[in-house]
């Protein structure tokens, strides 16, 4: 005879086995779960008298924390959930692992304490002997940020030189420093900052200390104190396996649809109001009916009082005042930058360092997931879940995580409106894109490249509107030479863009990178300096003798008694490519299209060549090479002697 203690890995296994045993044995066994999140009232049931054989289904909480009376049999699954910090994914994990030999022997010792007992291990002896002798110490499986902060404040020297009983790996130390840098406690050289010294005065996790410090700037110290003290203890809200729906209904009065953190404040306000109105006995009963742990609520109150005294000693005002939830959420964000997530699809989120997670189903935002969120913790069990979340604005990250953001730039371009080179900026936090495509001045990123764009587009491309005398002179000269190139239908012959860019770069100082700095420099520069910036036609013409003949490319043509102005465009593929005649509407009835058949002399050979190439092959092959025949025909033809096609046919 005697009771049975079964060691299982976690709550889920306890629930499943409890249901299976109840269905098989019905009322022949009394089945009791036992785990740390269970209410104290339900945990105390293991000490009550009973008549039937009792089976206690427990996690490793029953290894050392509690001694269950009357146990004669122990059934050990040999597994447990061990809390570990993942240095790769930056989350606290609860993986199911094989327990050590020491833990197995500790479990064995739970039976037969008052008489003979039997321990059944659900794994063979070879498996047992192959296991580690002792459970890995916590210093090797937790974040070392708090330890490192204390070492720095106490000036104990380089942490690498300290003699630990169990020396943590170098990567664990690096991860601790990374977290302290994230919180602003150390700088890039791992030196303690003023903020770090202040954080070290709080006897709580560095993340929570950072939240309290940030709350002073946001004017929400009282609310942040409530949340920080809550996060320092185990959640007092109880949800028994057999009364989950009743517990959810009882907790509904505290739920805030927008923020789990505001829900915590509502719970605190409810408890404090009832605490002042009710006696201790009635308050205990109220907690019981509200599915709240009386002991944990009292612990929450005590932690709150201790931190409040410390805050007042440090000059913080803990007076409650009306605030916006956003103020509170910004303060929380300062300490929880590693737990930011961006919604991808459905209820899936992408966080920093590439970790993916979901919102815990019990959250008030589970059915209305925000685009951006921050969580009190991200923990891996069967899946990776974010617990206690609220929505945030990604814009807040630009100030809260300014020292952590990584920037990349692409697609620089010249903006005529802004008179400067611009570039698309992307900012990311631990690989999580905070924003992209934001247009910022390129000069702040790459002054030399911005200067090149300014000169090429603003000065050479004539896209900068400025009143400098030399610039207006140069623009007129460049416009004239560009017109010559349009007539010749060739680019780069008279205007060599690279030469012009180099011309300005040699003469302008390094600090001239945009329109504003250019205008300011021109205002201060002396006459001799400005005189060196005047261009002349001889220095621009790249090859001698290529200036267009005005007889071949006239500015106007004679049509009867009318002079028609001409413009030349070199835009291949466009309808306006070629020679444009600017004809007043009143003259249209007086003109004959035959007046325009011969175009201008400089382009007539090209037109005749195109006409010859358009002949059927049996005729075209008689006029090869085409350019020579075209030139000979043009020499023999003249406007006024008949239509162009008639004269050309006769010559061919």
């Amino acid at each position: 005879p005697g009771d049975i203690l079964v060691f299982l890995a976690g709550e889920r296994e306890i629930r499943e086995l409890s249901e299976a045993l109840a269905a098989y044995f019905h009322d022949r066994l009394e089945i009791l779960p036992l785990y740390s999140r269970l209410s104290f009232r339900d945990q105390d049931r293991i000490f009550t008298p009973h008549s039937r054989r009792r089976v206690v289904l427990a996690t490793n909480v029953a290894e050392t924390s509690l001694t269950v009376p009357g146990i004669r049999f122990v059934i050990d699954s040999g597994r447990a959930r061990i809390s570990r910090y993942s240095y790769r994914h930056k989350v606290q994990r609860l993986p199911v692992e094989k327990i050590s030999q020491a833990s197995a022997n500790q479990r064995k010792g739970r039976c037969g304490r008052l008489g003979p007992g039997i321990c059944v291990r659900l794994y063979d002896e070879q498996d047992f002997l192959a296991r580690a002798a002792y459970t890995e110490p916590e210093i090797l499986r937790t974040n070392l940020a708090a330890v490192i902060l204390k070492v720095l404040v106490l000036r104990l020297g380089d942490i690498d030189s300290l003699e630990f009983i169990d020396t943590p790996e170098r990567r664990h130390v690096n991860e601790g420093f990374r977290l302290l840098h994230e919180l602003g406690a150390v700088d890039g050289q791992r030196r303690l900052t003023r903020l770090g010294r202040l954080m070290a005065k709080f006897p709580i996790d560095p993340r929570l200390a950072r939240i309290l410090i940030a709350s002073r700037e946001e004017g929400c110290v009282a609310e942040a104190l409530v949340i920080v003290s809550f996060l320092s203890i185990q959640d007092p809200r109880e949800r028994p396996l057999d009364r989950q729906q009743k517990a959810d209904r009882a907790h509904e009065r505290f739920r805030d649809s927008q923020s789990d953190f505001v829900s915590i404040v509502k719970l605190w306000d409810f408890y404090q109001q009832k605490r002042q109105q009710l006696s201790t006995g009635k308050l205990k009963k109220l907690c019981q009916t509200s599915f709240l742990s009386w002991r944990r609520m009292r612990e929450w109150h005590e932690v709150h009082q201790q931190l409040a005294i410390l805050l007042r000693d440090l000059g913080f005002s803990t007076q409650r005042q009306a605030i916006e939830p956003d103020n509170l959420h910004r303060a929380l964000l300062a300490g929880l930058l590693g737990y930011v997530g961006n919604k991808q699809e459905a209820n899936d989120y992408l966080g920093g360092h590439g970790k993916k997670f979901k919102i815990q189903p019990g959250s008030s935002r589970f059915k209305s997931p925000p685009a951006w969120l921050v969580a009190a913790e991200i923990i891996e069990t069967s899946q990776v879940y974010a617990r206690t979340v609220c929505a945030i604005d990604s814009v807040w990250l630009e100030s809260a995580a300014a020292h952590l953001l990584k920037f990349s730039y692409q697609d620089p371009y010249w903006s005529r409106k802004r008179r400067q080179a611009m570039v698309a900026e992307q900012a990311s936090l631990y690989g999580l894109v905070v924003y992209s495509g934001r247009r910022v001045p390129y000069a702040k990123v790459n002054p030399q490249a911005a200067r090149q764009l300014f000169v090429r587009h603003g000065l050479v491309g004539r896209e900068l509107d400025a009143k400098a005398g030399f610039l207006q002179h140069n623009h007129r000269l460049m416009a004239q030479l560009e017109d010559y190139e349009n007539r010749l239908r060739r680019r780069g012959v008279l205007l060599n863009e690279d030469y012009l860019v180099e011309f300005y770069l040699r003469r302008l100082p390094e600090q001239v990178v945009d329109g504003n700095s250019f205008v300011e420099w021109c205002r201060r520069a002396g006459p001799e300096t400005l005189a060196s910036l005047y261009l002349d036609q001889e220095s621009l013409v790249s090859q001698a003798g290529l200036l267009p003949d005005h007889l071949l490319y006239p500015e106007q043509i004679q049509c009867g008694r009318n002079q028609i102005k001409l413009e030349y465009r070199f835009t291949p593929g466009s309808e306006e490519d070629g020679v444009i005649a600017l004809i007043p509407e009143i003259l249209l009835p007086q003109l004959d299209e035959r007046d325009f058949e011969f175009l201008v002399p400089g382009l007539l050979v090209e037109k005749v060549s195109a006409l010859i190439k358009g002949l059927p092959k049996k005729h075209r092959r008689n006029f090869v090479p085409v350019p020579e025949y075209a030139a000979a025909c043009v020499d023999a033809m003249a406007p006024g002697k008949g239509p162009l096609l008639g004269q050309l046919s006769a010559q061919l």
Side-chain angles (χ1 to χ4, degrees):
D3 296 337
I4 303 171
L5 175 60
V6 183
F7 282 100
L8 298 168
E11 295 179 29
R12 180 178 179 180
E13 291 84 351
I14 290 175
R15 182 176 65 252
E16 292 175 350
L17 183 55
S18 176
E19 293 172 354
L21 293 177
Y24 187 81
F25 289 100
H26 301 291
D27 296 332
R28 287 179 287 164
L29 294 177
E30 181 183 3
I31 303 168
L32 297 181
L34 180 60
Y35 48 88
S36 60
R37 284 202 325 123
L38 201 63
S39 66
F40 287 108
R41 178 169 170 267
D42 288 335
Q43 288 186 16
D44 287 344
R45 291 172 59 192
I46 64 174
F47 301 109
T48 58
H50 56 285
S51 55
R52 291 173 295 167
R53 170 170 282 181
R54 176 175 287 172
V55 178
V56 179
L57 309 180
T59 60
N60 53 1
V61 70
E63 274 186 28
T64 55
S65 303
L66 295 171
T67 297
V68 184
I71 297 299
R72 291 292 183 269
F73 302 92
V74 167
I75 300 177
D76 180 13
S77 67
R79 306 178 76 80
R81 287 197 179 275
I82 307 296
S83 178
R84 288 187 182 278
Y85 184 79
S86 172
Y87 296 89
R88 179 179 179 184
H89 298 102
K90 314 301 186 258
V91 298
Q92 197 69 30
R93 302 174 61 238
L94 285 172
V96 176
E97 300 180 0
K98 293 181 178 181
I99 62 173
S100 66
Q101 294 183 23
S103 291
N105 291 331
Q106 190 69 32
R107 291 182 176 187
K108 179 183 67 174
R110 298 297 93 191
C111 68
R113 298 180 71 85
L114 301 178
I118 295 175
C119 174
V120 179
R121 289 174 176 159
L122 303 182
Y123 46 99
D124 59 37
E125 185 175 1
Q126 292 301 319
D127 187 354
F128 172 80
L129 295 174
R131 297 186 179 199
Y134 299 97
T135 303
E136 192 174 31
E138 188 174 1
I139 195 173
L140 301 182
R141 49 187 174 87
T142 190
N143 194 291
L144 299 176
V147 175
I148 295 172
L149 186 59
K150 288 296 183 184
V151 169
L152 294 176
V153 170
L154 296 175
R155 298 181 179 180
L156 298 179
D158 187 0
I159 193 170
D160 292 329
S161 63
L162 296 180
E163 295 183 2
F164 292 94
I165 296 175
D166 296 286
T167 304
E169 295 182 25
R170 182 64 192 173
R171 62 191 179 107
H172 296 185
V173 175
N174 292 338
E175 177 60 21
F177 273 111
R178 186 206 62 79
L179 177 56
L180 291 177
H181 180 252
E182 174 186 303
L183 300 176
V186 298
D187 59 18
Q189 285 70 45
R190 297 186 171 183
R191 295 174 300 200
L192 192 64
T193 63
R194 289 182 58 189
L195 183 60
R197 295 186 184 278
L198 182 57
M199 289 170 57
K201 295 180 179 180
F202 293 89
I204 52 178
D205 185 276
R207 292 183 185 275
L208 303 182
R210 183 67 182 93
I211 292 172
L212 288 177
I213 296 171
S215 68
R216 179 163 59 176
E217 301 171 5
E218 296 292 343
C220 58
V221 175
E223 290 77 9
L225 176 57
V226 169
I227 293 172
V228 165
S229 54
F230 175 90
L231 297 176
S232 300
I233 65 167
Q234 194 167 342
D235 193 334
R237 292 170 292 191
E238 297 177 342
R239 197 168 181 262
L241 292 175
D242 55 343
R243 290 172 289 169
Q244 291 182 353
Q245 292 184 350
K246 290 182 65 176
D248 291 342
R249 287 195 296 269
H251 297 159
E252 191 64 34
R253 74 181 82 174
F254 318 123
R255 180 182 291 262
D256 183 90
S257 60
Q258 299 301 312
S259 170
D260 293 337
F261 295 100
V262 176
S263 298
I264 294 172
V265 177
K266 287 184 176 181
L267 172 58
W268 173 262
D269 292 341
F270 166 81
Y271 176 74
Q272 291 301 315
Q273 179 185 4
K274 299 302 180 182
R275 182 174 171 272
Q276 296 173 4
Q277 297 173 352
L278 303 177
S279 64
T280 302
K282 290 183 178 180
L283 185 60
K284 284 184 179 181
K285 189 173 182 180
L286 176 65
C287 287
Q288 181 180 337
T289 57
S290 301
F291 289 89
L292 301 173
S293 168
W294 154 251
R295 296 182 184 178
R296 290 173 188 155
M297 293 298 292
R298 187 175 62 182
E299 181 186 3
W300 184 8
H301 177 77
E302 291 172 353
V303 173
H304 180 277
Q305 291 296 99
Q306 294 172 13
L307 290 176
I309 294 172
L310 177 59
L311 285 172
R312 286 193 288 269
D313 291 343
L314 293 173
F316 286 64
S317 173
T318 58
Q319 189 69 30
R320 189 77 174 267
Q321 56 186 354
I323 63 162
E324 292 293 328
D326 284 354
N327 294 77
L328 176 60
H329 295 157
R330 281 195 293 268
L332 292 166
L333 178 62
L336 303 172
L337 289 171
Y339 298 147
V340 171
N342 178 226
K343 187 172 179 290
Q344 302 298 296
E345 55 184 22
N347 197 21
D348 294 327
Y349 280 81
L350 177 65
H353 307 287
K355 60 176 172 280
K356 298 179 180 179
F357 59 87
K358 298 177 180 292
I359 298 177
Q360 190 182 30
S363 169
S364 62
R365 296 309 302 256
F366 179 73
K367 293 184 179 179
S368 57
W372 287 86
L373 63 75
V374 66
E377 63 176 344
I378 296 178
I379 192 164
E380 181 180 343
T381 53
S382 57
Q383 294 190 64
V384 182
Y385 286 113
R387 293 180 175 174
T388 314
V389 306
C390 70
I392 62 169
D393 190 333
S394 60
V395 175
W396 301 348
L397 293 169
E398 297 178 36
S399 56
H403 60 299
L404 300 174
L405 293 180
K406 302 296 183 183
F407 299 95
S408 60
Y409 303 91
Q410 57 184 1
D411 302 329
Y413 69 99
W414 166 260
S415 172
R416 185 167 190 169
K417 181 179 179 181
R418 296 177 179 268
R419 303 180 15 150
Q420 62 182 334
M422 305 292 288
V423 67
E425 180 182 72
Q426 176 178 290
S428 58
L429 173 65
Y430 297 139
L432 182 64
V433 176
V434 176
Y435 65 80
S436 62
R438 178 176 296 179
R439 304 298 175 180
V440 298
Y442 195 26
K444 294 182 178 180
V445 180
N446 189 335
Q448 291 300 323
R451 187 166 178 262
Q452 290 270 353
L453 284 176
F454 161 69
V455 169
R456 188 171 295 275
H457 294 275
L459 301 184
V460 177
R462 288 167 279 172
E463 296 182 19
L464 176 68
D465 298 323
K467 297 181 180 180
F470 74 86
L471 195 59
Q472 295 177 353
H473 164 81
N474 293 348
H475 285 178
R476 286 193 298 269
L477 179 58
M478 291 164 66
Q480 181 183 4
L481 293 177
E482 185 177 315
D483 178 60
Y484 291 165
E485 288 189 338
N486 287 337
R487 300 184 191 195
L488 294 172
R489 298 188 61 77
R490 297 172 66 184
R491 284 280 180 253
V493 175
L494 303 177
L495 277 178
N496 188 318
E497 186 175 283
D498 292 336
Y499 170 81
L500 293 173
V501 170
E502 188 62 30
F503 172 85
Y504 282 116
L505 288 176
R506 283 199 308 267
R507 289 162 176 77
L508 293 176
E510 294 284 335
Q511 64 268 25
V512 176
V513 294
D514 55 24
N516 293 336
S517 59
F518 173 75
V519 171
E520 180 64 20
W521 176 80
C522 290
R523 188 176 63 84
R524 297 182 179 182
E528 294 183 2
T529 302
L530 296 177
S532 67
L533 289 166
Y534 280 83
L535 290 165
D536 59 83
Q537 181 170 298
E538 289 73 18
S539 63
L540 290 179
V541 177
S542 58
Q543 298 182 44
L546 286 178
L547 288 177
D549 188 338
H550 287 280
L551 295 177
L552 296 178
Y553 302 94
E555 295 183 1
Q556 56 187 13
I557 60 174
Q558 187 75 27
C559 295
R561 290 178 298 176
N562 300 306
Q563 294 283 341
I564 303 299
K565 186 177 180 181
L566 301 178
E567 281 189 2
Y568 296 84
R569 306 278 177 87
F570 182 42
T571 54
S574 160
E575 290 186 357
E576 295 185 351
D577 182 43
V579 186
I580 296 177
L582 303 177
I583 304 171
E585 187 176 356
I586 193 173
L587 294 182
L588 282 175
Q590 305 176 30
L591 299 177
D592 189 331
E593 64 177 295
R594 288 178 295 181
D595 294 333
F596 300 94
E597 282 186 338
F598 283 81
L599 296 180
V600 294
L603 297 176
L604 187 56
V605 172
E606 185 177 346
K607 179 174 182 177
V608 170
S609 296
L611 290 172
I612 294 176
K613 291 178 181 179
L615 291 172
K617 185 176 181 180
K618 64 179 181 179
H619 298 302
R620 185 176 68 245
R621 63 188 181 186
N622 297 314
F623 310 110
V624 178
V626 172
E628 294 183 6
Y629 278 88
C633 290
V634 169
D635 289 341
M637 300 187 312
K641 294 182 179 180
L644 173 65
L645 294 182
Q647 292 191 53
L648 178 58
S649 298
Q651 294 300 324
L652 292 174

